[in-house]
Amino acid sequence: MTIHGDHPFLPPESERSPVRRFRGRLPSPVGLWTTAYDGERAGLTVSSMLVADGEPGFVIGLIDAESDLWETLRQARTAVVSLLGAPHQQLADAFGYVAPAPGGPFRLIDWTDTAWGPAPVGVSTWAGCTLVTPDPPEVGWALQVQLEIAHVELSPDEIPPLVHRRGRYTTLS
């Protein structure tokens, strides 16, 4: 038996999707989308998103149609979109379902209940949003979910933002 540094489940480079590899080279913000409905919380790490400025502003994200987040968001019609920083990598992995979170990812940190859903304590920037349509268009293998921004919380930018590129996290200083 030998131990090597390659990922054991990663297909050979020649078999990987060129579109996915192209997307992976784009540095993306690491966001956490959370919502709650009828006592149930759901969340998902989302890096395929952008913010459109305007009156009102919008957050547009690509969300897995089969995710717990989408099922709950569709019912709740509100969400909190948080921008994660350097100390939140474990939280991002837990909500991305790539790292264990005994008892579920909502047990990893404290939360503040808001009118839009749970907001993570210690995250300096987040937006309270409302769902634009419960039937968003399919884009690739995802849903193009549009949220209208109703409220923004901005604290001093003291924590470097968490960025995802080529399957790894990095921060911007």
Side-chain angles (χ1 to χ4, degrees):
M1 173 182 216
T2 60
I3 298 175
H4 52 83
D6 296 340
H7 191 290
F9 303 111
L10 193 62
E13 194 165 316
S14 62
E15 295 177 20
R16 297 181 206 157
S17 162
V19 173
R20 184 178 173 102
R21 292 173 61 211
F22 177 75
R23 182 191 72 179
R25 284 169 167 74
L26 296 173
S28 302
V30 180
L32 176 59
W33 291 33
T34 53
T35 189
Y37 182 77
D38 200 25
E40 294 294 320
R41 290 176 166 180
L44 186 66
T45 302
V46 178
S47 60
S48 296
M49 67 177 190
L50 61 91
V51 177
D53 193 10
E55 289 296 328
F58 291 88
V59 177
I60 301 164
L62 300 180
I63 306 296
D64 183 344
E66 296 180 15
S67 67
D68 292 341
L69 172 74
W70 175 242
E71 285 185 35
T72 309
L73 175 57
R74 192 173 191 178
Q75 294 174 316
R77 300 188 60 93
T78 60
V80 171
V81 175
S82 304
L83 301 180
L84 301 183
H88 305 119
Q89 183 174 331
Q90 182 181 4
L91 190 65
D93 280 346
F95 276 98
Y97 298 98
V98 295
F106 280 98
R107 292 185 182 243
L108 294 177
I109 62 169
D110 292 327
W111 298 85
T112 299
D113 290 324
T114 73
W116 304 276
V121 172
V123 171
S124 62
T125 304
W126 62 270
C129 304
T130 57
L131 181 64
V132 173
T133 176
D135 297 309
E138 290 184 21
V139 178
W141 291 332
L143 298 175
Q144 181 184 314
V145 176
Q146 294 184 30
L147 302 175
E148 183 177 314
I149 299 172
H151 175 82
V152 175
E153 288 284 327
L154 298 171
S155 297
D157 226 3
E158 297 169 352
I159 299 173
L162 193 60
V163 176
H164 193 259
R165 184 175 184 276
R166 297 199 72 191
R168 294 176 181 83
Y169 294 112
T170 188
T171 58
L172 300 177
S173 29

